[in-house]
Amino acid sequence: MKKSITLLTLLFIAMFSFAQTSNENITIKKRNGRIINVETNEKLSKLELKSMLDEESYDSYIRGRNRYIASIPFWAATAIEGAFSITYIAMGYDLKYDCINNHDHQQEKENGHDIYCENATGAMLYWVIGGFFAAGAVMYAIPSTILTISSHRKLNAAVDGYNQKSSDVTLNFGATNNGIGLTLNF
């Protein structure tokens, strides 16, 4: 009987002595739509974040990450539309410049009206097309900007929620990484 009580006492002490979790508090920050560990400079996986963050912070992280990913095609479309706009406006400028340089600088009159270079009409057409592409770039830039700002706010909320945990000391009994026992969180 004495051996059983001694064995159970040692087993009970062993369970409580290894009960504290080995998870150390780390500092995290946001970089390029990802959350990274500041000390190691490595990105944290979703599984690691799910175990580290509380439910509200993790949900904020998932929403922010999804919005960040959704903004990428909009930014690509904005860049493409902007490139086409600049190209068409530059082509129109080149046509207008060629018209001015190739014209013999004398105003020819026919029936009281000036005769303009035919390239001037083409230049105006290129400028109008470039303007439509510029308007398209602005239309894509608006949702991409909104999505990016929203994703940054959500990711910052998740990071701030983790980094500014309450400094309350809690004592819990339950399952840990090393067994069953008391955990002291501070």
Side-chain angles (χ1 to χ4, degrees):
M1 180 74 176
K2 218 176 191 183
K3 286 183 184 181
S4 300
I5 293 175
T6 306
L7 185 61
L8 286 174
T9 305
L10 288 175
L11 182 63
F12 190 71
I13 291 171
M15 283 177 40
F16 280 117
S17 64
F18 292 109
Q20 181 64 37
T21 60
S22 62
N23 291 344
E24 55 191 49
N25 283 338
I26 61 173
T27 305
I28 60 176
K29 71 177 181 177
K30 175 185 65 74
R31 183 187 303 155
N32 297 334
R34 296 264 185 199
I35 295 181
I36 64 166
N37 181 345
V38 173
E39 288 83 23
T40 61
N41 213 18
E42 295 177 357
K43 70 178 183 175
L44 299 171
S45 69
K46 283 185 178 181
L47 290 175
E48 291 172 323
L49 288 171
K50 188 167 187 164
S51 67
M52 290 171 51
L53 300 174
D54 61 344
E55 188 175 328
E56 184 180 333
S57 294
Y58 183 72
D59 191 41
S60 179
Y61 164 73
I62 292 298
R63 287 183 179 169
R65 183 75 182 137
N66 289 342
R67 289 177 185 170
Y68 181 81
I69 291 170
S71 72
I72 293 172
F74 284 106
W75 282 117
T78 301
I80 291 168
E81 292 276 337
F84 279 136
S85 173
I86 291 169
T87 302
Y88 275 98
I89 290 172
M91 289 169 52
Y93 177 77
D94 285 344
L95 281 175
K96 182 70 173 171
Y97 185 73
D98 288 344
C99 179
I100 291 170
N101 286 340
N102 292 336
H103 197 28
D104 60 348
H105 299 292
Q106 293 179 356
Q107 292 287 337
E108 299 176 12
K109 299 245 180 190
E110 182 177 298
N111 297 332
H113 298 297
D114 293 337
I115 299 174
Y116 294 104
C117 180
E118 297 103 20
N119 288 344
T121 306
M124 289 298 288
L125 182 62
Y126 277 116
W127 288 338
V128 168
I129 293 171
F132 283 126
F133 277 117
V138 169
M139 290 187 64
Y140 280 118
I142 291 170
S144 59
T145 303
I146 291 170
L147 283 172
T148 301
I149 290 171
S150 175
S151 73
H152 286 296
R153 285 184 182 160
K154 293 285 185 187
L155 291 172
N156 286 338
V159 169
D160 292 341
Y162 177 79
N163 287 337
Q164 297 175 353
K165 285 183 183 175
S166 65
S167 60
D168 296 339
V169 177
T170 59
L171 182 64
N172 296 322
F173 178 78
T176 65
N177 292 345
N178 297 323
I180 297 175
L182 293 174
T183 59
L184 180 62
N185 297 324
F186 52 90

